[in-house]
Every structure is written in C-alpha cells, then in structure tokens.
C-alpha cells in the first residue's frame, strides 16, 4: 500500500508564541496527569447527589454566580440576533421540565425533537434531561418514513416540532404512532384549538428541582448516520457529560468565555454533544445559526460574532475551499483561535487550506455516535499532521488490530492481536471504560454484543498508526478496495485527487473487475471555472497515477452532486449501488431525500 497520505504532507508545528499565549500543556503530560475520576470532579453533580447533564450545562453556572453570561446567541434566518443568558436558559428549561411533569410524562420516557436551530430546541433538550426523560433528536429535514421508523424504534411519548413540520411530516404517520401522547408545537401558529409551546411554558412554573438522575440513567438516544446501512439507536447515559466536558477542553481547546460555533445539525450526535452540551458545561457562549450554508454567510458569522473556536465538517470546509481565498480575505477572522473538524476523513488539502486562508490549521478528530464523544484528535497544543486524525485523547486507549479474511479484526479463540508494525492497516479498536461509551443499541442486544471482543470495542473502521502514535484513517471496513492485490481506502484516493486544483470533492468506490478483483473508480465534482472535458479526465487520471501508482483510479466520472448523508458524509455505498445497478438500500439519511 502506498503511503502517500502519511509522507506527502509536512506536519504543521505551531509557533511557540501560540503555545505560550494559550498556556497549553503538552500531550504526554496531559495523558499522564489524566484520570476520569478527576474529570468527573470538575463537574459538580446534583446538590442532593446524582448526575444530570442539564444541571451541569446550565444550573451549575447559575449557582456559581455566572447566570448573566450569554449561553446562547441565536441568529435567525433574517439575521436578527437574540442573546439568552445562562440564568434565562435555566428558567426556560425549568418551565419545560415542569410542563412535561404536568403532562404526566414520567422519568425515562422518550421525548423527540424535530426542529431546526431555534431556541426552543435548546430549551426542549435541556428541559427534557432535567425532567429525567430521554431525549432523541431527529433531523428536521427527514421525511415521514424515516421519522416514523425512528419514533417507533425509540418509543416516542412526546414530540416537539413546528406546525409546518407537523402537517408535512407527522400528520401522515400519526396513526402509526400509538405511543405518541403529546405533540408540543413551537410557533405562533398552532393546530386549531391547541396552545403553543410558548403559552404552555408561560403557564408553567419557573422553579424546578432537577430529577435526581444517576450517572447510569439513560439520557440520550442517538441514531447513527446510516452511512453503511440501516441506522441504529445508540443509548447514552448522563455520565456521558464527563466525557463531553473533558474532550471539549482537550480536543477543541474550549474554555469559559469562548464564543463557540458548531455547525453540525442538532439531529446528529455532534450537534447534540458539541453543539449544545459540551460548550455549555464549559461556560462558553454557543452561536446558533438558523440559516443555511452559504459561503459569505458563514464567513460573516465567524467575523461578526467573533467566533473563537469553530467546529465543523470536511464537507463544509470543502465547500468553502471551492471558492478562492479572496472571499475569506474580505472578513476579519482575527478572533478565531481554534478550528476542528469531524465526521469524515479530513483531506490534508483542507488542513493546509486552513493554515493558509484562516491562519490556523484544522484539527481533525475522530469519533462515532457509539463513542458519544471525541476519541482521537490532533491534540490542541501539538503539531497537526495533515491527513491524520491524531492521537487518542487523555483517558482513551486505542489500538489497531490485525485483520482476518473478512477485513475485520481477527478473533481466534476469543482473542485478538494488535498489529505489530507501524503503518500496518488493521481495525481500529478502543478499550471500553470512558463515560460516554454507548450502553447498547436499543432493542438489539446481539448487534451490540457483536461490537466487542477480548475486552475491545471494535469500531468497524480501518486505520494505521505511525511510529509516533498518530492514527491514519484508511476507510470503513466495508468500503476498503482490493485492487490487483493492493488494498486502498477511498480516503487516500480522494485526498490525492483533491490535491489537483480542479477537484472540489471526490467519492471513490471499488468496482468489480474480472482481472483486478476491483478497480478504483472516482466520482469527482469540480471547482468553479473548470469544465468536465475529456482532456481534464485524462489529466486527472495521470495526476492520480503519479500520486498513487498501482492504486490510482482507473475510471473517473464527473458528478456535480455527490450524494451526502445529512451529517455531511459522502455516501459511497450509494455511488456504488448506482454504478452496479444494485438496490440503493436505506436512503433515509440521504441529504436530498
Ligand atoms: P452508520 O454507523 O449508520 O453506518 P456512521 O458510521 O456514518 O453511520 P456516525 O456515528 O455519524 O455514523 O459516524 C461515525 C463514522 O464516521 C466513523 O466510524 C468513521 O467512519 C467516520 N468518521 C468520523 N470522524 C472521522 C474522521 N475524523 N476521519 C475519518 N472518518 C471519520
Ligand atoms: Mg457507524
């Protein structure tokens, strides 16, 4: 296998003054000093005992006299800005928790949200947790069928949504949701004869004693992105907040007083863990933009809100990169101190772009719905290795396990083996024990049990570790391509193609081939100003060959609308199904669905 991604790009070492200014500790020191007990002790716990995510995110700050700090800065789609303080958020979430009580919604019952980024979303999420109920977020762009599927699977008792979404998406499936007892409507335009959420909240008491949840009580239900198939419902407990808090400090360099913007949709685990919970536990100000992606809008938010820490995704960065650096140059981004990315492999090109255009390298980090929090990252203080997802965070033990014939970790008599050599590809595995580890797939114990072997959690992703302990993503075990005896992950090919100035984004699959087994086929979208000509195709094929040798793409198709999941991942399985003419499978999380 070629080592292009690990050798091609020079590491970005941060200048000394940056380290000193931000008073950062070094990776080894942070790992040595770390234990989860001490991380837990940084949170307060409930006054009467127990642990509750919402208390740590909101009430703790009010109790400590920080109630006047802005918790949420909401920018609506017309650019109106509304600030909500921690004290205000505490009161609103108390009212929501009281409303659930009044409606007879008991501890452990499931409350679903189907909302865009509006303040009521934050109130519903945190109010639900205060009441000891379980919160399950949905993407507001889901159609009726994926909503029905997930609400049935999760046993929804309450849904918080808008009248418009209700009529479009819930009314057609309502009869199929017998367990759904209450629909709370956010908007001045309720169903005939029903109160709005605002009226219901106004009529509820602003005082509430947080339900004494234990660290092991179920708190959140998250559906995975469905990149590889049918989505699963991962169960998370209140103790997860310890990991949200700790990883936000280590992987995002987040501190009290920061202005933090996480662009992930609140229907996805990132939008919940790092779009709501983690920054609030830290005492930061969370910027929430109701508007859609737009290059200028995003630069404007970064500049006008003086965002200091920005957490986004490769697909968003690639969209910004499509346009020349000149646009960025029109905005004052000097407040920005730290940029991180998650969800998909971050092409080295994007890390370099960050350094050149934003003045900061982008810190890639890796985690999953199942892990509940960031596990591996380019550590805040240290060099960033473009193309690498970084090293395990303090408190996280990772390994690369030797693969068997099915491409997953080989289990022999119940035992696994770590790979011996740096650079060797194997399945990425983690030692369970961190607080945000999922506690099950709802109602699927066998599927959950199959994720573990010999004391390891098997991630289903392939990676290699270099001699310095940095991890390099290769691909999902299902996606890896075997071509003429060579093994290659789509990411490596995509990143190599993205180094060409014409390429904005690429999706790579293995296409069955009688001679090679599989051949590498790339679908490529172009930057503005480039035309999909035969000449360009030839040039890209040659460019790929020079960078990748034997595993270069043999076929290139131009495709201006690569399919993405709602969480922003290229859906390679769909590219492959379309190529082969096989069934397209579960498309509920497809962006345009
Ligand atoms: P499903 O499990 O339903 O197929 P999914 O795995 O995409 O969907 P998520 O939990 O949202 O659902 O995504 C986690 C996966 O995303 C990881 O297992 C990995 O494949 C990919 N991923 C996340 N961050 C990174 C990263 N920094 N580099 C490479 N891949 C990443
Ligand atoms: Mg997954």
């Amino acid at each position: 296998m070629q080592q292009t991604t690990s050798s091609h790009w020079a590491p970005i070492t941060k200048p000394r003054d940056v380290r000193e200014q931000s008073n950062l500790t070094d990776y080894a020191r942070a790992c040595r000093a770390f234990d989860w007990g001490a991380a837990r002790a940084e949170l307060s716990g409930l006054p009467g005992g127990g642990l509750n995510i919402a208390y740590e995110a909101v009430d703790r700050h009010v109790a400590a006299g920080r109630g006047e700090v802005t918790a949420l800065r909401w920018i609506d789609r017309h650019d109106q800005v509304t600030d909500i303080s921690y004290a205000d958020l505490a009161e609103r979430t108390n009212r929501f928790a009281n409303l659930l009580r009044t409606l007879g919604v008991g501890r452990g019952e499931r409350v679903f949200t189907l909302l865009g980024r509006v303040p009521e979303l934050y109130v519903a999420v945190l109010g639900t947790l205060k009441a000891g109920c379980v919160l399950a977020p949905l993407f507001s762009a889901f159609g009726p069928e994926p909503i029905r599927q997930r609400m049935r699977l999760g046993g929804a008792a309450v849904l918080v949504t808008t009248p418009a979404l209700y009529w479009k998406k819930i009314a057609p499936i309502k009869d199929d949701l017998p367990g759904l007892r209450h629909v709370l409507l956010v908007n001045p335009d309720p169903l005939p004869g029903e109160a709005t959420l605002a009226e219901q909240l106004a009529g509820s008491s602003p005082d509430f004693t947080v339900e004494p949840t234990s660290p092991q009580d179920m708190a959140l239900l998250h559906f995975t992105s469905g990149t590889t198939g049918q989505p699963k419902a991962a169960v998370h407990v209140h103790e997860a907040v310890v990991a949200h808090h700790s990883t936000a400090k280590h992987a995002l360099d987040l501190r009290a007083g920061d202005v933090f913007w996480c662009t992930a949709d609140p229907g996805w685990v990132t939008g919940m863990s790092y779009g709501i919970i983690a920054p609030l536990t830290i005492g930061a100000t969370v910027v929430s933009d109701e508007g859609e992606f737009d290059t200028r809008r995003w630069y404007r938010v970064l500049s006008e809100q003086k965002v200091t820490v920005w957490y986004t995704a490769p697909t968003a960065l690639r969209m910004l990169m499509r346009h020349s650096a000149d646009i960025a140059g029109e905005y004052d981004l000097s407040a920005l101190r730290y940029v991180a990315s998650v969800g998909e492999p971050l092409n080295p090109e994007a890390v370099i772009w960050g350094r050149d255009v934003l003045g900061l390298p982008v810190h890639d980090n890796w985690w999953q719905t199942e892990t509940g929090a960031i596990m591996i990252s380019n550590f805040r203080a240290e060099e960033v290795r473009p193309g690498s997802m970084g090293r395990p965070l303090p408190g996280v033990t990772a390994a690369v396990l030797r693969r068997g014939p099915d491409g997953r970790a080989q289990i022999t008599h119940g035992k696994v083996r770590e790979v011996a050599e740096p650079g060797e590809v194997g399945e990425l595995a983690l030692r369970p024990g961190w607080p945000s580890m999922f506690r099950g797939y709802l109602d699927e114990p066998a599927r959950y049990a199959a994720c573990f072997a010999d004391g390891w959690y098997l991630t289903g992703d392939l990676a290699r570790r270099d001699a310095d302990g940095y991890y390099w993503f290769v691909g999902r075990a299902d996606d890896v391509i075997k071509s003429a005896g060579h093994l290659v992950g789509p990411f490596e090919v995509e990143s190599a193609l993205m180094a060409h100035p014409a390429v904005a984004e690429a999706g790579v699959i293995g296409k069955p081939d009688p001679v090679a087994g599989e051949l590498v086929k790339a679908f490529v979208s172009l930057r503005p100003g480039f035309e999909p000509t035969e000449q360009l195709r030839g040039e890209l094929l040659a460019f790929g060959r020079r960078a990748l040798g034997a595993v270069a793409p043999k076929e290139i198709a131009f495709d201006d609308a690569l399919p993405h999941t709602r969480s922003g991942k290229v859906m390679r399985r769909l590219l492959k199904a379309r190529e082969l003419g096989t069934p397209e499978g579960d498309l509920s999380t497809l962006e345009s669905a």
Side-chain angles (χ1 to χ4, degrees), residues 223-232 268-269 314 341-346 364-370 376 389 441 459-461 473 475-476 491 565 567 569:
F223 299 92
T224 61
S225 290
T227 310
T228 44
Q230 195 95 7
K232 307 148 269 197
W268 180 38
V269 68
S341 160
V342 72
E344 264 222 302
L346 182 67
D364 190 17
N365 59 62
W366 176 96
W367 58 293
Q368 304 179 306
T369 307
E370 289 86 345
I376 294 178
M389 48 201 194
Y441 290 124
T459 67
D461 284 347
F473 184 81
R476 293 161 187 267
F491 168 55
T565 65
S567 50
K569 302 160 195 274

Side-chain angles (χ1 to χ4, degrees), residues 15-98:
R16 250 189 101 64
D17 58 325
V18 171
R19 289 191 210 182
E20 279 166 6
Q21 256 174 29
S22 41
N23 192 22
L24 298 171
T25 54
D26 102 295
Y27 176 72
R29 223 181 319 146
C31 288
R32 259 200 309 275
F34 187 88
D35 76 80
W36 286 111
R40 162 71 181 81
E42 289 183 23
L43 299 173
S44 64
L46 287 170
L51 187 67
N52 184 287
I53 293 175
Y55 183 87
E56 301 302 331
V58 186
D59 300 52
R60 182 167 67 94
H61 302 297
V62 181
R66 297 189 293 269
E68 294 317 306
V69 174
T70 301
L72 185 64
R73 169 157 298 170
W74 181 55
I75 310 163
D76 73 12
R77 46 182 82 243
H78 310 295
D79 288 356
Q80 284 294 106
V81 177
T82 308
D83 280 355
I84 297 175
S85 69
Y86 277 90
D88 194 4
L89 192 57
E91 188 188 307
R92 293 190 199 202
T93 49
N94 281 351
R95 288 181 191 271
F96 190 90
N98 273 319

Side-chain angles (χ1 to χ4, degrees), residues 21 42 116 137 148 172 197 257 281 294 303 313 351 378-379 431 437 458 515 522 533 536 547 572:
Q21 256 174 29
E42 289 183 23
R148 190 191 67 85
L197 180 60
T281 66
D294 170 87
S303 129
V351 182
N378 280 275
F379 198 64
R431 271 274 183 235
M437 174 66 179
L458 311 175
V515 180
T533 59
L536 181 57
R572 297 180 188 85

Side-chain angles (χ1 to χ4, degrees), residues 428-489:
L428 177 62
L430 302 163
R431 271 274 183 235
W434 70 93
S436 63
M437 174 66 179
F438 75 135
R439 302 302 205 263
Y441 290 124
L442 199 67
D443 298 338
E444 294 187 278
R447 201 172 187 184
Y448 179 68
C451 297
F452 299 88
D454 197 12
W456 291 98
Y457 163 64
L458 311 175
T459 67
D461 284 347
L462 300 184
R464 52 176 181 256
R465 185 176 44 204
D466 67 21
D468 300 326
Y470 280 77
Y471 284 72
W472 300 76
F473 184 81
V474 171
R476 293 161 187 267
D478 305 353
D479 273 355
V480 166
I481 303 164
K482 278 195 201 118
S483 187
H486 299 278
L487 184 90
V488 67

